[in-house]
Amino acid sequence: VSRAQQQMMEKRREQSKGLKKASRPGAGLGAMGNLVGGNMVGGAKMGGLEGNMHGPRITILVREFEDFENYVGDVARSFFRQRPELPFLAVAESPPYPPLALPVGGRLLVLSPSPDQPPQTHRPEFNVQTEFALLVPDGMELDHGRQIERLIRELEGEGGGPVRLVAAPVLTRSAVQCLHLRVNLREWTATYTPAASGSSGSVCTALQGDAVVLIRTEDLFNLSVPLGRPLMSSLFVQTSLRGWKVKLLEGLSFSASHRPLFSSAHNQWKADSRLKDSTDHLMHSFGLKHVVLPDDQHQWFGCSKETPRCFGTVLDDTPEYLYIERWTPPCCLRALRETTKYVINILKSSGIRYWLEGGSLLGAARHQDIIPWDYDVDLGIYLADVPNCDYLKNLDSGSLVDANGYVWERAVEGDFYRVQYSEANHLHVDLWPFYPCNGVMTRDTWTEHKQDVEFSEHFLQPLVPMQFAGITAYGPNNHRAFLELKFGEGVIENPQYPNPAKKRLDRSRTLVS
């Protein structure tokens, strides 16, 4: 890919030299017509669709279409009627069936590699040799070439600024909406919000709806996944992470010759199902598990009660996601909050005295929530109260799955209890039983965790309410002294990962609430 990009850049430099040479007085005839005053006669101007003597400047790309019903051939014919010299490329993951009916001059690029073909056959960067790429949706129509020229002028007019894409709407029942997109890879989240429009068009970081998008080819192929599906989602997640913006033009639009795209409810259902599958695959590959839409609807692409949690067995107190500079996936945090609320309600109704322990108390003091990189919740309980709870008192004989699918068990790692989100998903709340002895809360067995130590019972007399994970829970009455006893002085103000010897938190990137 790097070699192909370098070749393209060298080719463009040669084109630029050729253009400068051709624009000198007395330059000869070009293949597209005579040069008069630096402009083409019988060809395009320098800001138009064709570079002087070097062929077209733009390739038309159709990526979003379904093989079982599409109008890609009609789209190609509409471009060839107005601009027959422009390369037209339909891009598919695998050979469409039935085959596309492309007119002469239209080409199909299949992205899936074949063992009998050289690599460049399936790589788009080897098949797009123009300065610009125009990404167009299925079913649209080119009315006249001036539409493309306007897009090129607008993009060139932005120079080297943050606007790296320009777009125009395809006229359909629903208008194209300009959005702001914030992608937080560390928190596995993408958030869309509406963007305001300006007098000369809207500048934003994402679009919603059918639009034609122009981008420099060099920029397109500097993306990790230049032609992923769904195309707009894939494109704008990557461009927003690079700080690029898109300008949605006013006063320019393209026709939609075929709307709706599908002639039957069954085909629409198939298209919707494929869209869901491709979105799931894209979000999984990008590591996005939570998407907030402009209307504040939430989409989840991570674990659930029916699936395993997003990470495996934790070694050295350091979950695997910390090594790739990420925090606890939001779906896992959501499951932990649900489990915590459920367990605390049962403890309350059973008359069991409990308090936030360890890292969970630290999260309540620092965030009023679970620590963003934590992977379980810890609660202390009075050992004498255990017989009050039907779920806990008989656990010596095995585990119990309650009516809501939560799994209650005696932990195999030590003398404590564990409540799992489900049989499939092992996100959990740990219950640590203590008993008082001469005014000191103690246990019969201890783990190697540094916070697993004895403490004075006066911290629990009385217990005080604290906000935690969206509910009001109870904690020690002097939580700062309690935490500093267990973790050391200044622990609330100085966040750190559980095992800094394995992975240390970069505090310059962390805001402590």
Side-chain angles (χ1 to χ4, degrees), residues 6 16 37 39 49 91 129 134 174 198 225 262-263 279 288 296 334 361 364 368 396 404 407 437 465 500 502 511:
Q6 184 177 0
S16 178
N39 292 330
L49 303 183
V91 183
Q129 298 297 317
L134 188 68
S174 57
V225 185
F262 305 105
S263 58
T279 301
L288 293 174
D296 206 35
R334 180 177 67 161
L361 178 62
Q368 295 78 55
D396 287 338
N404 293 297
V407 181
C437 181
K502 292 294 182 180
L511 295 176

Side-chain angles (χ1 to χ4, degrees), residues 265-277:
H266 177 69
N267 279 359
Q268 182 66 61
W269 171 82
K270 286 175 64 177
D272 292 342
S273 298
R274 289 191 178 185
L275 175 62
K276 181 182 181 302
D277 291 344

Side-chain angles (χ1 to χ4, degrees), residues 171-405:
L171 296 179
T172 61
R173 296 176 185 174
S174 57
V176 176
Q177 188 177 8
C178 212
L179 305 173
H180 286 311
L181 170 59
R182 179 179 176 270
V183 179
N184 188 331
L185 291 179
R186 187 172 64 180
E187 298 180 7
W188 313 75
T189 300
T191 304
Y192 293 88
T193 54
S197 61
S199 57
S200 61
S202 304
V203 175
C204 50
T205 50
L207 300 176
Q208 184 179 52
D210 283 344
V212 169
V213 178
L214 181 72
I215 184 172
R216 287 183 172 85
T217 305
E218 184 177 355
D219 286 344
L220 179 63
F221 293 129
N222 271 324
L223 302 178
S224 302
V225 185
L227 295 172
R229 288 190 72 183
L231 180 61
M232 291 300 180
S233 298
S234 172
L235 182 68
F236 292 123
V237 165
Q238 297 174 86
T239 56
S240 65
L241 284 168
R242 289 159 173 78
W244 300 355
K245 297 183 181 298
V246 55
K247 183 176 184 180
L248 180 62
L249 303 181
E250 293 184 351
L252 176 65
S253 61
F254 290 80
S255 300
S257 56
H258 298 284
R259 288 295 186 277
L261 279 175
F262 305 105
S263 58
S264 68
H266 177 69
N267 279 359
Q268 182 66 61
W269 171 82
K270 286 175 64 177
D272 292 342
S273 298
R274 289 191 178 185
L275 175 62
K276 181 182 181 302
D277 291 344
S278 62
T279 301
D280 288 347
H281 180 268
L282 179 73
M283 296 305 163
H284 178 77
S285 65
F286 282 174
L288 293 174
K289 297 180 182 292
H290 184 203
V291 176
V292 183
L293 300 177
D295 57 2
D296 206 35
Q297 290 190 46
H298 294 249
Q299 294 180 333
W300 296 90
F301 300 95
C303 64
S304 68
K305 209 171 179 72
E306 292 73 37
T307 65
R309 67 185 185 183
C310 297
F311 55 95
T313 301
V314 177
L315 304 177
D316 301 316
D317 297 324
T318 306
E320 59 194 60
Y321 48 78
L322 293 184
Y323 290 108
I324 58 171
E325 307 300 336
R326 297 203 179 198
W327 287 351
T328 310
C331 46
C332 297
L333 290 174
R334 180 177 67 161
L336 284 173
R337 294 186 188 107
E338 289 180 14
T339 307
T340 300
K341 181 178 180 180
Y342 182 77
V343 171
I344 285 178
N345 283 338
I346 288 179
L347 295 180
K348 285 181 179 179
S349 63
S350 302
I352 293 183
R353 292 165 289 176
Y354 77 91
W355 60 94
L356 294 169
E357 258 289 352
S360 299
L361 178 62
L362 185 57
R366 191 186 290 155
H367 308 280
Q368 295 78 55
D369 200 353
I370 300 168
I371 294 175
W373 51 83
D374 208 351
Y375 50 88
D376 63 6
V377 169
D378 295 310
L379 300 177
I381 60 174
Y382 273 86
L383 178 62
D385 295 343
V386 168
N388 298 340
C389 179
D390 292 336
Y391 295 122
L392 295 177
K393 65 183 180 182
N394 296 318
L395 283 183
D396 287 338
S397 58
S399 62
L400 180 153
V401 181
D402 68 20
N404 293 297

Side-chain angles (χ1 to χ4, degrees), residues 6-209:
Q6 184 177 0
Q7 291 171 351
M8 291 166 59
M9 292 174 68
E10 291 174 354
K11 182 176 180 181
R12 290 188 189 117
R13 282 196 289 268
E14 293 173 1
Q15 291 177 354
S16 178
K17 293 176 183 178
L19 292 175
K20 291 177 181 177
K21 181 177 179 181
S23 63
R24 296 179 195 145
L29 295 177
M32 302 302 296
N34 293 322
L35 280 169
V36 180
N39 292 330
M40 299 289 283
V41 176
K45 294 184 178 181
M46 299 310 296
L49 303 183
E50 296 162 1
N52 184 20
M53 300 186 295
H54 291 280
R57 303 178 66 193
I58 187 169
T59 297
I60 313 303
L61 293 174
V62 182
R63 178 68 174 105
E64 289 282 7
F65 64 91
E66 301 296 343
D67 51 5
F68 53 83
E69 185 176 6
N70 63 75
Y71 301 94
V72 176
D74 291 345
V75 176
R77 279 182 281 273
S78 78
F79 276 91
F80 287 152
R81 279 195 299 269
Q82 303 294 334
R83 293 294 182 181
E85 75 283 357
L86 297 183
F88 185 95
L89 203 60
V91 183
E93 198 67 36
S94 57
Y97 180 81
L100 290 179
L102 291 174
V104 175
R107 293 192 299 125
L108 171 66
L109 171 65
V110 176
L111 298 177
S112 299
S114 175
D116 62 337
Q117 297 291 330
Q120 59 267 30
T121 305
H122 305 281
R123 295 183 181 174
E125 64 271 18
F126 286 96
N127 289 270
V128 180
Q129 298 297 317
T130 54
E131 183 180 357
F132 300 98
L134 188 68
L135 309 174
V136 303
D138 189 16
M140 61 81 62
E141 185 174 2
L142 180 66
D143 298 314
H144 50 77
R146 294 188 302 277
Q147 294 170 297
I148 308 178
E149 293 170 355
R150 164 84 184 278
L151 290 169
I152 293 177
R153 286 198 306 271
E154 291 283 351
L155 186 54
E156 289 182 325
E158 294 295 334
V163 174
R164 307 290 277 269
L165 309 92
V166 296
V170 175
L171 296 179
T172 61
R173 296 176 185 174
S174 57
V176 176
Q177 188 177 8
C178 212
L179 305 173
H180 286 311
L181 170 59
R182 179 179 176 270
V183 179
N184 188 331
L185 291 179
R186 187 172 64 180
E187 298 180 7
W188 313 75
T189 300
T191 304
Y192 293 88
T193 54
S197 61
S199 57
S200 61
S202 304
V203 175
C204 50
T205 50
L207 300 176
Q208 184 179 52

